[in-house]
Amino acid sequence: MAADTGTIRAVKYFYYSSFIWLLIGMLVGLIVAIKYIAPDFLVWGPLGKFLSYGRIRPIHTNGVLFGWLSMAYVGGIFYVLPSLTRTPLSNPRLAVATGVLWNIFMVLAVVVLLLGYTTSIEYAELPLFMDVYVVILVALVIFISFRTIVNRNEKKLYVSIWYIMGSLLWLPLLYIVGNLPYRWIGGVPQANMAWFYGHNVIGLWFTTVGVGFIYFLLPKLTKNPLYSHKLSLIGFWTIATFYVWNGPHHLQNGPIPLWLMKAGVIPSVLLIIPVWTVLANVFGTMKGKWHVVADSIPLKFMIVGAIFYLITCLQGPFQSLMGPSAILKFTNWVIGHAHMPLFGAFSFVVFALMYYSLPKMTGKQIYSTSLMNWHFWLSTVGFLLFAFSMWVAGVLQGFAWAEGKQYGMQFVEVILALRPFSMIRAIGGGMMFIGQFIFVYNAIRSVRDGKPIPQQPTALIK
Amino acid sequence: MANNHEQSMFPFILGSLLLFLIGVIGTVLLPFYDASMQEPNINADARNYDFNTAEYRGRQIYIREGCHTCHTQYVRPVKADTALGPVTVPQDYYYDKPHLLGSVRTGSDLMWVGARWNEEWHRRHLLNPREMLPGSIMPRYDYLSDAELDDLITYLMSLKPASQAQGR
């Protein structure tokens, strides 16, 4: 598919945009992490209020969720669909225009949040006119993607395409449910709807597109056929069945009826089925090819991403149960957990996809293998420091609260005790940020100065 | 390996939408019909602020400054919440628009914070949290105007169980 300039231009536009939001989003994340140690960090006079924790925290989440990962996903979808359907992307110019509109949206979002306009609903902070904007952007992506699929030259719909189709149908629907104006609905039903969205945007957009990418990359990077077609089919239909029910577990032990807690937790536990189908396919396909991991950094990213996906889906159901939730809910544990699917699992998969697809599109190799390696290790070690510090801090915090240290000076004593963990978190976050900086630098250098890919690639060891 | 079903988009589209719809009905639609969601209680009435009262404006400041990013407003029937006041029920939130339940306790729970400290404490704490609670990592809110500070404090002081609010 390398000769199709329209497709390439659209994919590149989305990739490059996502780089910018990756760096901005993670920089804000780092600032937020530092504020846990030094609350007056970056608070200067009249400008201080625009950089106060409560205002910039949503810029971190929205920046990495909608600017980085979602734009990277759309770029990835625009690369994967033409490749699997053997069809150029439909309306490539409209695709670039969508990217431009998306960037304008992100800039607007940052301004709106800095000025303190927020609905206060987590991950749905943006006001109504911005929500309408999002739905239009998604509608454009759907139009382009489905038109490409309908026009396909390859009759068979590959596994990745099911996942992408499903995700593109679910995303606008769950976004609308979660962002209905709070003037219509308030109180607990609104919280419940907000978490329906908050959880499903991860489960039925970030997870399912990411799994689609894993199924796309797996045979390409290992040069093995997919281990089991049937397993991937089971995985798709079970995730579609169970994930939608997960929202209420965010209000576990809270002011919701008991039946609703059960309705939220039981499907959470059943999610082990779809995640296991993915992992079984990854390990099955890798059989006999593990030595390739040593030389292929994209494959390293993908395998580690898949393992983080597994850990996420073991941890998530555990902490949604009534008992563990009573200790872990509201603590730093949740912050560690929330970063795992989004950074550890699916950002890693996207890195693998970008390292794989950039050379295919530009005809140039990745500029520096050693910088790629630095990106991998800084991201992995940085994230492990981040996640473990948050998990341990969360457990300590939860038990301290259970002993009665729930407000006032006792509460602050717990915060003081957790200071070392906050520092480790900031150091890990700093490493993650430096890793991404290296990634973006390396990607840009690859496009400009990468060595041309030889026509006949040297044969790999069989 | 490829069978005919997998050449058609239709089963995937229909199946995806149908399963999604079932989940929406189960976890979004049905809760509206639960008896606990149907009516307010006295706590909800106490939190039903008229437009443009000090409490109302204070709540808007609470939202604007993102207080909910660090503070929850719900008390659960668990050990970790025993000192925080009465366990909250859906009826308490009947008029909360938007809801401010929150998801993380970087700072402590504020559901009934009005019953915990007095106005003077809140004022000094908001201006410099470390004066009242040495080691606290809460940001200073010394950039709020006096009027905004008053409104915010009035809102915080209104967050108490209705039975206690009567006596004051």
Side-chain angles (χ1 to χ4, degrees):
Chain A
M1 285 316 303
D4 172 18
T5 49
T7 306
I8 291 171
R9 190 174 302 147
V11 175
K12 274 196 199 161
Y13 187 85
F14 271 93
Y15 278 8
Y16 295 168
S17 307
S18 73
F19 292 164
I20 296 167
W21 295 110
L22 173 68
L23 293 182
I24 295 175
M26 287 192 56
L27 182 64
V28 179
L30 190 56
I31 294 171
V32 167
I34 293 171
K35 279 173 183 280
Y36 273 80
I37 311 159
D40 290 329
F41 180 64
L42 287 186
V43 177
W44 304 309
L47 278 179
K49 69 174 173 185
F50 297 111
L51 292 172
S52 76
Y53 181 95
R55 290 199 188 187
I56 63 172
R57 193 262 186 189
I59 296 176
H60 166 60
T61 51
N62 283 281
V64 291
L65 292 175
F66 300 114
W68 151 243
L69 204 48
S70 292
M71 285 197 93
Y73 268 20
V74 174
I77 289 171
F78 287 170
Y79 177 83
V80 167
L81 284 181
S83 162
L84 290 179
T85 56
R86 294 192 286 112
T87 314
L89 191 69
S90 294
N91 311 73
R93 283 188 157 170
L94 182 64
V96 175
T98 306
V100 174
L101 286 174
W102 200 306
N103 279 324
I104 296 172
F105 167 81
M106 288 306 302
V107 173
L108 269 176
V110 170
V111 173
V112 162
L113 291 170
L114 278 180
L115 291 178
Y117 293 106
T118 167
T119 63
S120 87
I121 310 302
E122 202 170 11
Y123 310 123
E125 286 91 353
L126 297 169
L128 187 62
F129 77 97
M130 297 290 277
D131 296 333
V132 176
Y133 198 151
V134 172
V135 173
I136 293 170
L137 290 176
V138 176
L140 289 170
V141 174
I142 292 175
F143 172 73
I144 296 162
S145 305
F146 274 81
R147 229 181 134 203
T148 310
I149 300 172
V150 169
N151 292 338
R152 69 190 183 277
N153 293 317
E154 165 66 60
K155 278 287 150 271
K156 185 170 168 7
L157 290 166
Y158 286 99
V159 187
S160 306
I161 302 180
W162 319 336
Y163 277 95
I164 290 170
M165 283 196 298
S167 312
L168 284 173
L169 292 170
W170 294 319
L171 178 64
L173 296 175
L174 63 91
Y175 193 85
I176 290 169
V177 171
N179 287 275
L180 286 178
Y182 56 76
R183 284 184 191 83
W184 299 356
I185 304 143
V188 175
Q190 187 205 9
N192 186 46
M193 287 170 87
W195 282 118
F196 169 86
Y197 154 75
H199 199 88
N200 287 323
V201 75
I202 298 193
L204 297 177
W205 168 244
F206 293 118
T207 300
T208 41
V209 176
V211 169
F213 290 164
I214 291 179
Y215 279 125
F216 173 79
L217 288 170
L218 202 49
K220 307 242 180 216
L221 294 178
T222 59
K223 303 202 164 48
N224 264 358
L226 186 65
Y227 170 68
S228 166
H229 182 73
K230 205 165 257 175
L231 268 181
S232 62
L233 200 67
I234 294 170
F236 177 79
W237 290 113
T238 45
I239 206 167
T241 310
F242 298 134
Y243 222 122
V244 221
W245 289 77
N246 274 244
H249 76 208
H250 283 260
L251 297 168
Q252 179 65 282
N253 293 325
I256 55 170
L258 193 63
W259 66 265
L260 191 55
M261 289 181 202
K262 290 179 191 161
V265 169
I266 295 164
S268 311
V269 176
L270 288 171
L271 277 179
I272 192 66
I273 301 170
V275 70
W276 191 249
T277 60
V278 174
L279 265 291
N281 254 333
V282 168
F283 286 103
T285 309
M286 283 301 292
K287 213 167 194 180
K289 287 293 170 81
W290 282 102
H291 61 277
V292 183
V293 180
D295 299 319
S296 164
I297 298 165
L299 190 57
K300 249 185 233 178
F301 266 116
M302 204 209 73
I303 295 291
V304 173
I307 292 170
F308 278 135
Y309 173 44
L310 174 68
I311 304 173
T312 307
C313 289
L314 293 174
Q315 199 182 47
F318 164 72
Q319 76 197 47
S320 77
L321 298 172
M322 227 173 224
S325 171
I327 295 294
L328 299 173
K329 193 166 175 54
F330 303 143
T331 69
N332 282 308
W333 170 288
V334 179
I335 298 169
H337 174 72
H339 282 77
M340 193 154 51
L342 296 163
F343 186 80
F346 296 115
S347 289
F348 274 38
V349 171
V350 169
F351 296 144
L353 180 67
M354 285 178 166
Y355 281 134
Y356 170 81
S357 55
L358 267 178
K360 298 268 178 209
M361 292 189 296
T362 58
K364 290 173 179 173
Q365 293 170 351
I366 295 294
Y367 170 70
S368 161
T369 311
S370 90
L371 285 183
M372 243 198 309
N373 237 329
W374 273 103
H375 176 215
F376 174 77
W377 286 108
L378 282 170
S379 300
T380 307
V381 176
F383 175 70
L384 287 174
L385 282 176
F386 175 102
F388 274 96
S389 64
M390 288 297 92
W391 293 331
V392 177
V395 173
L396 296 176
Q397 215 175 357
F399 280 108
W401 292 346
E403 282 171 17
K405 300 177 195 278
Q406 292 161 20
Y407 68 89
M409 207 46 222
Q410 287 183 311
F411 188 92
V412 174
E413 278 167 18
V414 182
I415 292 175
L416 283 171
L418 296 180
R419 225 176 131 79
F421 296 99
S422 298
M423 286 177 180
I424 298 172
R425 179 251 279 270
I427 292 167
M431 289 169 70
M432 283 154 72
F433 178 71
I434 295 168
Q436 306 327 307
F437 195 82
I438 291 172
F439 163 59
V440 171
Y441 171 79
N442 197 16
I444 293 169
R445 283 301 293 267
S446 307
V447 177
R448 282 176 46 198
D449 309 321
K451 287 194 200 109
I453 296 171
Q455 284 299 312
Q456 291 287 315
T458 47
L460 285 167
I461 309 155
K462 284 193 181 157
Chain B
M1 164 161 88
N3 58 44
N4 292 330
H5 299 298
E6 285 165 40
Q7 294 189 10
S8 166
M9 294 160 73
F10 194 63
F12 290 100
I13 293 177
L14 197 71
S16 304
L17 291 179
L18 196 69
L19 290 167
F20 184 85
L21 188 68
I22 295 171
V24 173
I25 292 172
T27 62
V28 175
L29 211 57
L30 287 184
F32 278 102
Y33 296 96
D34 191 274
S36 63
M37 309 289 178
Q38 305 287 337
E39 54 189 21
N41 61 12
I42 48 168
N43 290 325
D45 292 333
R47 284 167 188 247
N48 187 15
Y49 311 119
D50 287 330
F51 179 73
N52 219 14
T53 52
E55 288 89 348
Y56 178 90
R57 292 192 303 269
R59 192 171 194 266
Q60 297 307 113
I61 295 164
Y62 184 98
I63 292 168
R64 186 188 74 198
E65 299 306 328
C67 304
H68 53 276
T69 58
C70 290
H71 295 280
T72 54
Q73 284 194 18
Y74 62 98
V75 180
R76 306 160 296 166
V78 302
K79 264 183 153 182
D81 292 15
T82 43
L84 295 175
V87 170
T88 53
V89 291
Q91 288 88 335
D92 293 335
Y93 304 95
Y94 189 82
Y95 296 112
D96 268 25
K97 291 182 180 181
H99 81 83
L100 295 173
L101 291 173
S103 64
V104 69
R105 283 185 190 158
T106 305
S108 53
D109 185 88
L110 300 182
M111 184 70 196
W112 310 119
V113 70
R116 212 177 283 159
W117 318 103
N118 63 22
E119 283 161 26
E120 179 57 18
W121 189 94
H122 277 304
R123 185 177 306 275
R124 289 167 68 179
H125 179 247
L126 285 166
L127 289 172
N128 180 11
R130 268 141 321 272
E131 185 199 350
M132 305 315 286
L133 299 171
S136 163
I137 53 171
M138 184 166 123
R140 297 159 190 263
Y141 290 94
D142 49 6
Y143 57 80
L144 297 178
S145 71
D146 286 344
E148 286 178 326
L149 206 56
D150 287 341
D151 290 343
L152 183 56
I153 294 166
T154 311
Y155 168 63
L156 291 173
M157 288 305 292
S158 78
L159 300 177
K160 62 184 91 173
S163 53
Q164 295 183 32
Q166 303 301 323
R168 296 200 125 140

